[in-house]
């Protein structure tokens, strides 16, 4: 694998300055996930109105892949409906990242998607009805 | 060796014994600096496994035929060599699967007579394998688990040792060398304090057995645990050393074949030491292989290996300190483990980029999550060296760290 392919400029830009970065007090859903094995962590804050994600904040800590993934995913889903994003697949996420991901780094890349899916589950169970 | 060599070992000669060092990774020569995870194996060990399976594979101890005799003799000969290697008696060397199994054996067997409120002392510096078994037994039996604290250099705090080990302490279990940061712990002194308080002393020697001369009589712990695969041996074989008189009084850990003397419908008598603790068909080839690994290490000389480790680590420390933005964890005086972080880059990314240069290190919490929380970090990058590593490889490693910084623009 060409290492410059993996750590290409846009990945490093997202890592250094993640989009939608921060925490909010009044989120509809706030969910925290981590990969204890790597120490990657992600706090995701969704503000949902009429089943639409009107705003999102992410607070990731960890490796470049996990942070960039959270940042890019936040751009991707902002302004979209819950139903539109809840079935997002692993393949779609990897395509969005656009870099080769080796099997051992897959869990870094997928932390953001897991956090989103669990946030939506919480939303649907407690608030979406 | 009386040649004019500057190194304490003939590293070039040693490297010829390790076939894997010839391979390339991503088109670059392999630089293997993940020795604290597992060491590479010399051809002598690899050949011993091969020879066993091709020539005398059979079960040990009960097969009355030529192959069985040969396998038993070789397996027990390996035990004898290991006993000599650590200055112990033959019956005091119990084969296990690895250090984890050894520590579980002790955690189960030694706690069986304890009562509610009895105390076990471990440290903040332990690998999960010397942590979780004691923690879970303590929960199960309502025992109290206490922790010797570390200072900011990840050394065991002397005051904390004295404060935690008291007359209530029944078992003390600490590592000899920290796998995460390379601290060499004063286990002889701690054993003395444990004994003064009437407690048993267990040492997790997983990182020490590969790197320093061991003398069980001198350390005087009651138990000492290590694993074969970190000391040039195969995976699947480890050792619990225990003082004979203590082992004799202990409950077996695993029950079944091999560990019995006589089985009746109403009761069973157990086999003699060391087999009382070795239920089931053991890892025969691996045990024999560990014997060969120990021969290899003894021939090179453990003191020579210790000195060489120091030399190479010193070189690596000097070089890495010249790079800006590097944090090094652990004490000044340490075993050949270099745990560090590059400012602004997660350890996993460091490891990934080093790999692209053929350099294999470890990144993560090193199975020491409690220690990482004390140090206030989630992960480190860890380079760990062994007898076949060279200064030239360290240079490659240092250049690769510069590449990390270049890729990340830090």
């Amino acid at each position: 694998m060409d290492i410059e392919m993996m750590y290409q400029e846009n990945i490093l830009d997202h890592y250094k300055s993640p989009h939608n970065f921060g925490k909010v007090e009044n989120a509809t859903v706030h969910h925290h996930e981590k990969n204890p094995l790597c120490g990657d962590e992600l706090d995701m804050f969704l503000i949902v109105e009429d089943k639409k994600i009107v705003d999102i904040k992410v607070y990731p800590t960890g490796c470049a892949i996990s942070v960039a993934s959270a940042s890019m995913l936040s751009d991707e889903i902002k302004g979209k409906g819950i139903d539109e994003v809840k079935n997002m697949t692993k393949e779609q996420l990897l395509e969005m990242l656009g870099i080769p991901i080796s099997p051992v780094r897959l869990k870094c890349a997928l932390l953001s998607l897991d956090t989103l899916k669990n946030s939506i589950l919480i939303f649907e169970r407690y608030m979406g009805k | 060796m009386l040649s004019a060599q500057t190194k304490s070992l003939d590293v070039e000669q040693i490297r010829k014994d390790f076939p894997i060092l010839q391979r390339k990774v991503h088109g670059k020569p392999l630089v293997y600096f993940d020795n604290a995870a597992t060491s590479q194996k010399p051809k002598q060990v690899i050949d011993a496994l091969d020879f066993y399976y091709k020539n005398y594979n059979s079960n040990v101890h009960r097969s009355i035929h030529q192959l069985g005799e040969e396998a038993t003799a070789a397996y027990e000969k390996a035990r004898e060599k290991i006993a000599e290697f650590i200055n112990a008696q033959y019956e005091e060397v119990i084969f296990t699967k690895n250090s984890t199994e050894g520590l579980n054996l002790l955690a189960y067997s030694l706690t069986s007579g304890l009562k509610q409120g009895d105390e076990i002392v471990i440290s903040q510096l332990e690998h999960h394998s010397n942590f979780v078994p004691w923690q879970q037994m303590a929960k199960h039996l309502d025992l109290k688990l206490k922790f010797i604290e570390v200072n900011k250099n990840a050394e065991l705090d002397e005051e904390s040792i004295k404060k935690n080990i008291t007359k209530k302490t029944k078992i003390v279990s600490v590592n000899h060398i920290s796998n995460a940061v390379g601290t060499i712990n004063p286990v002889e002194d701690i054993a003395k304090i444990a004994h003064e308080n009437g407690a048993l002393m267990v040492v997790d020697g997983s990182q020490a057995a590969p790197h320093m001369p061991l003398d069980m009589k001198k350390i005087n712990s009651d138990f000492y645990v290590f694993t074969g695969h970190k000391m040039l041996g195969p995976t699947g074989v480890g050792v619990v050393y225990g003082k004979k008189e203590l082992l004799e009084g202990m409950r077996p850990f695993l029950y079944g074949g091999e560990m019995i003397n006589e089985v009746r419908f109403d009761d069973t008598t157990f086999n003699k030491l060391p087999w009382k603790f070795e239920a089931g068909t053991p890892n025969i080839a691996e045990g024999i292989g560990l014997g060969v690994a120990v021969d290899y290490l003894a021939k090179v000389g453990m003191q020579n290996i210790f000195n060489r480790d120091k030399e190479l680590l010193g070189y690596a420390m000097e070089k890495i300190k010249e790079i800006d933005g590097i944090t090094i964890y652990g004490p000044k005086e340490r075993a050949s483990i270099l745990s560090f972080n590059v400012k602004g880059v997660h350890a996993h990314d460091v490891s990934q980029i080093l790999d692209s240069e053929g350099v294999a290190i470890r990144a993560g919490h090193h199975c020491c999550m409690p220690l990482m929380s004390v140090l206030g970090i989630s992960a480190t990058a860890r380079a760990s060296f062994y007898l076949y590593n060279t200064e030239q490889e360290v240079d490659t490693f240092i250049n690769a760290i510069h590449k990390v910084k270049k890729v990340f623009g830090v």
Side-chain angles (χ1 to χ4, degrees), chain B residues 49-341:
Chain B
L49 301 188
D50 193 57
F51 189 80
Y52 165 79
Y53 284 117
K54 282 181 179 157
N55 292 282
Y56 62 107
N57 170 52
S58 65
N59 213 329
V60 285
H61 298 143
R62 285 173 310 278
S63 306
I64 313 296
H65 52 67
Q66 185 59 29
L67 299 189
E69 301 275 359
E70 288 177 16
T72 305
Y75 187 67
E76 294 303 329
K77 180 76 189 164
R79 191 192 309 273
E80 209 176 297
K81 290 177 192 172
I82 293 159
E84 194 184 332
F85 186 70
I86 61 171
N87 192 24
Q89 295 176 56
Y90 171 80
E91 306 94 304
E92 296 178 322
V93 173
I94 295 161
F95 280 128
T96 60
K97 184 173 72 179
N98 49 32
S99 290
T100 299
E101 187 182 272
L103 289 160
N104 274 276
L105 182 159
L106 293 173
Y108 274 85
S109 192
L110 294 178
T111 54
S112 77
L114 299 192
K115 54 184 194 308
Q116 192 182 2
D118 283 345
E119 297 184 356
I120 298 172
V121 175
I122 61 172
S123 87
Q124 292 179 332
L125 200 51
E126 301 311 316
H127 187 282
H128 295 160
S129 62
N130 194 30
F131 196 110
V132 183
W134 302 110
Q135 180 195 54
Q136 293 302 312
M137 290 314 292
K139 272 184 196 295
H140 182 57
L141 299 171
D142 211 3
L143 310 170
K144 192 166 177 203
L145 185 64
K146 292 164 79 180
F147 305 97
I148 298 169
E149 290 170 351
V150 294
N151 62 22
K152 64 177 179 7
N153 291 329
E155 293 160 308
L156 297 185
D157 180 71
E158 268 183 56
E159 283 308 308
S160 185
I161 294 172
K162 289 184 192 142
K163 203 182 79 196
N164 279 291
I165 304 174
T166 68
K167 298 286 179 203
K168 286 185 188 164
T169 310
K170 301 297 173 195
I171 301 163
V172 178
S173 188
V174 296
N175 66 73
H176 198 166
I177 292 177
S178 152
N179 73 301
V181 290
T183 315
I184 305 173
N185 293 312
V187 288
E188 280 179 56
D189 300 341
I190 301 173
K192 217 172 277 168
I193 296 169
H195 291 151
E196 280 164 10
N197 285 281
L200 292 171
M201 177 74 186
V202 177
V203 178
D204 170 7
S206 305
Q207 298 295 339
H211 292 279
M212 60 198 285
L214 290 182
D215 182 337
M216 291 302 117
K217 303 274 181 302
K218 189 158 165 280
I219 293 171
N220 197 28
S221 63
D222 300 293
F223 303 94
Y224 196 99
V225 178
F226 56 97
T227 190
H229 71 92
K230 294 188 200 292
M231 51 193 291
L232 312 184
T235 51
V237 63
V239 169
V240 167
Y241 153 83
K243 285 182 181 164
K244 198 173 153 187
E245 61 275 18
L246 291 169
L247 290 172
E248 273 168 352
M250 281 162 59
R251 264 178 78 170
F253 171 49
L254 297 169
Y255 298 94
E258 181 96 15
M259 56 79 67
I260 53 93
N261 178 34
E262 187 186 8
V263 180
R264 299 184 311 270
F265 279 105
D266 60 342
D267 204 4
T268 293
T269 55
F270 303 127
N271 203 340
K272 290 187 298 193
L273 289 176
W275 306 290
K276 171 180 152 185
F277 289 98
E278 296 181 1
T281 296
N283 289 341
I284 302 165
E286 288 74 11
I288 294 168
L290 181 56
V292 176
V294 158
D295 281 342
Y296 190 97
L297 291 170
K299 198 171 155 208
V300 176
M302 291 310 291
Q303 190 60 47
N304 294 335
I305 292 173
F306 186 77
N307 295 345
R308 170 61 187 158
D309 279 350
K310 216 168 182 161
E311 197 170 79
L312 191 63
L313 179 81
Y315 181 77
M317 284 289 227
E318 195 181 302
K319 291 281 168 186
I320 202 168
K321 279 180 180 161
E322 290 168 5
I323 307 174
D324 285 336
I326 300 286
T327 308
I328 296 168
Y329 303 94
K332 207 174 245 167
E333 280 299 315
R334 62 166 76 200
S336 58
I337 287 172
L338 175 48
S339 212
F340 66 99
N341 268 319

Side-chain angles (χ1 to χ4, degrees), chain A residues 14 20 27 38 44 59 63 70-71 84 88-89 92 94 117:
Chain A
H14 278 280
N20 304 299
C38 329
M44 186 176 276
Y59 194 88
C63 70
S71 172
E84 206 179 335
M88 185 171 184
T89 62
Q92 285 170 312
L94 293 177
K117 296 218 160 189

Side-chain angles (χ1 to χ4, degrees), chain A residues 1 3-4 6-7 12 15-16 36-40 61-65 102 104-105 107-108, chain B residues 26 344-346 348-350 352-353 356-357 363-365 369 378-379 403 406-410:
Chain A
M1 188 207 319
I3 204 73
E4 273 85 12
M6 186 164 174
Y7 294 101
L12 292 173
Y15 169 62
K16 287 175 185 169
L37 283 175
C38 329
D40 296 335
T61 51
C63 70
I65 305 304
S102 64
V104 287
R105 299 304 294 276
K107 61 183 185 306
C108 310
Chain B
H26 307 303
V345 189
H346 190 278
H348 280 156
D349 296 316
V350 173
Q352 186 95 55
I353 295 173
S356 74
E357 294 295 307
H365 54 58
M369 285 181 175
S378 64
K403 182 172 174 185
K406 188 164 156 262
V407 168
F408 273 78
V410 293

Side-chain angles (χ1 to χ4, degrees), chain A residues 14-110:
Chain A
H14 278 280
Y15 169 62
K16 287 175 185 169
S17 323
H19 298 186
N20 304 299
F21 179 79
K23 298 179 176 184
V24 283
E25 291 279 320
N26 59 340
T28 319
V29 185
H30 166 211
H31 183 60
H32 173 87
E33 288 265 335
K34 62 177 170 183
N35 288 327
L37 283 175
C38 329
D40 296 335
E41 300 195 30
L42 175 59
D43 279 279
M44 186 176 276
F45 304 82
L46 299 179
I47 296 176
V48 186
E49 284 171 15
D50 296 334
K51 295 193 81 181
K52 187 176 161 189
I53 300 168
V54 295
D55 201 4
I56 175 170
K57 287 278 181 271
V58 288
Y59 194 88
T61 51
C63 70
I65 305 304
S66 76
V67 173
S69 169
S71 172
M72 291 162 93
L73 182 68
S74 71
D75 280 346
E76 178 73 22
I77 65 174
K78 194 171 174 174
K80 287 192 174 154
I82 291 282
D83 292 335
E84 206 179 335
V85 300
K86 75 178 198 190
N87 294 321
M88 185 171 184
T89 62
K90 181 174 119 181
E91 289 69 27
Q92 285 170 312
L93 183 108
L94 293 177
E95 196 183 326
M96 178 195 84
L97 274 175
I99 55 168
I101 296 286
S102 64
V104 287
R105 299 304 294 276
L106 204 55
K107 61 183 185 306
C108 310
L110 295 178

Side-chain angles (χ1 to χ4, degrees), chain A residues 109-127:
Chain A
L110 295 178
L111 178 64
S112 63
L113 186 62
D114 289 343
T115 312
L116 174 66
K117 296 218 160 189
N118 286 328
S119 298
I120 293 175
L121 278 178
I122 293 165
F123 172 78
E124 291 188 329
R125 183 169 299 165
Y126 298 107
M127 285 152 266

